[in-house]
Structure formats: C-alpha cells, structure tokens
Amino acid sequence: MTTDAAAPWLIVGLGNPGPEYAGNRHNVGFMVADLLAGRVGGRFKRAGKAQAQVVEGRIGPPGPMSRRVIVAKPMSYMNLSGGPVNALRDFYKVPVAHVVAIHDELDIDYGTLRLKLGGGDNGHNGLKSMTKAFGADYHRVRFGIGRPPGRMPVADFVLRDFSSAERKELDYFVDRAADAVECLVIEGLERAQSTYNS
C-alpha cells in the first residue's frame, strides 16, 4: 500500500460537460483544470470505465518536491460528480485527503480564493455528491463568483457565462487558482492558505 506522502493527488475541476456550459460560472473548475493540464503537459483522455477525462503527470520541481497528479474533469453533470471522482480515487488509489475539488463559490466575491480541508457543501451540488460518495475530508479550492444580482435565481446565475467585465480579469484569476492548487499539493494547505486566501 502506498504511503500517504507518496500517494498521488487527484485534482478535480467541477463543471458540466458540453460546449453550451463551457463559459458558465459553474464551470470555473473546468477552466482551472484545463490550465493545470496544460502545465502538466498532457491532453485530457477518457479514463477507462470512469465517467471522466484525465491527464496524468507531475507538478513541482524534479526531486523530492515533485508530486504525481491526476487532473480530472467528471463528464457526468455537476450533481453526479461523486460517482466518477470516487471511481478515479479507487482506480488510482488516492487517499481522500489527497483529493482537491476546484469549484465556484457564491458566498465569496468574484475572483477571491479560499482553500480549506473538509467542511460542508454550502448548497453546492458537486460537493454534495462527492461528500456522499466518500466523505467530506477532501481539500477544496473555492473560487468566488459572488451572489446573483437583484432577484435572479441562483441556478440561472451559475449557468450563465461570466460578464464581459468579469472576463477581463478571468484569465488572471484562473491562473492564480491554478497556482494555489500547485502550492497546496507541493507545500501543503497552511502555506497555500497564507499565500492565496485573500
């Protein structure tokens, strides 16, 4: 059995599959996963029987700081993410504490990041599904999208694309979220929180 320190990390971007959802606020996890896949130097491919796409590689400098990672995008819909993620976790023998979920967060201002380990799902269906599948003790990288304006229903807001004003800064914020994931995996949660929790 692999020791925890040497076990791979499963980095999961949460979103909905299909081009009609690609630019949605709810798909910011996919955007960060795409960037991380590019940094790892791989292309997404179908993951065996799991309903997901994955890229395998390493992040960090060569040597003891290097970490084996599987970057994944579940190809189920958001509210069914737990099944594909759990299948990947079993296949790659990833401990729950080495799972990182990257997701949109309504209760944080746009572009703000918060990293944490465990906790509730705060009404997020992707997290709810993951917690039901294998417990809550995984890492979360929460990407703030802010609250809907006026009386717009939450479901409409998260399934809309970022506004043109938001898109001006989106690449920067996605890049920063990818940096935060790398810092979490290589240097640990405390260092990542002190650097990226704003």
Side-chain angles (χ1 to χ4, degrees), residues 28-42:
V28 75
F30 274 17
M31 297 173 197
V32 178
D34 286 338
L35 182 59
L36 285 165
R39 291 184 183 185
V40 167

Side-chain angles (χ1 to χ4, degrees), residues 115 176 180 183 187 189-198:
L115 286 79
R176 193 164 180 272
C183 183
E187 301 186 61
L189 179 62
E190 282 185 26
R191 170 57 69 87
Q193 285 175 325
S194 67
T195 307
Y196 293 98
N197 277 16
S198 37

Side-chain angles (χ1 to χ4, degrees), residues 19-100:
E20 68 272 32
Y21 297 107
N24 289 179
R25 292 181 177 91
H26 221 21
N27 270 43
V28 75
F30 274 17
M31 297 173 197
V32 178
D34 286 338
L35 182 59
L36 285 165
R39 291 184 183 185
V40 167
R43 299 176 82 119
F44 280 103
K45 62 180 194 297
R46 195 68 186 228
K49 292 179 181 174
Q51 201 181 356
Q53 292 182 350
V54 297
V55 171
E56 297 178 56
R58 301 191 80 83
I59 59 175
M65 296 296 279
S66 175
R67 300 284 184 265
R68 182 177 168 223
V69 296
I70 300 98
V71 182
K73 297 193 292 187
M75 291 289 111
S76 60
Y77 284 96
M78 177 73 86
N79 59 352
L80 300 172
S81 301
V85 175
N86 205 30
L88 293 173
R89 206 180 63 73
D90 285 346
F91 181 77
Y92 289 104
K93 298 180 170 50
V94 177
V96 174
H98 277 208
V99 176
V100 181

Side-chain angles (χ1 to χ4, degrees), residues 20-21 23-27 31 149 152-163 166-167:
E20 68 272 32
Y21 297 107
N24 289 179
R25 292 181 177 91
H26 221 21
N27 270 43
M31 297 173 197
M152 183 190 290
V154 165
D156 291 351
F157 179 69
V158 299
L159 293 176
R160 289 213 179 151
D161 288 0
F162 286 99
S163 69
E166 288 170 334
R167 281 200 296 272

Side-chain angles (χ1 to χ4, degrees), residues 85-130:
V85 175
N86 205 30
L88 293 173
R89 206 180 63 73
D90 285 346
F91 181 77
Y92 289 104
K93 298 180 170 50
V94 177
V96 174
H98 277 208
V99 176
V100 181
I102 310 160
H103 65 92
D104 58 307
E105 178 62 67
L106 287 158
D107 287 338
I108 303 175
D109 290 340
Y110 173 61
T112 299
L113 294 177
R114 292 268 195 284
L115 286 79
K116 68 174 192 170
L117 174 63
D121 56 56
N122 205 19
H124 193 287
N125 289 330
L127 298 181
K128 196 175 292 183
S129 180
M130 286 176 61

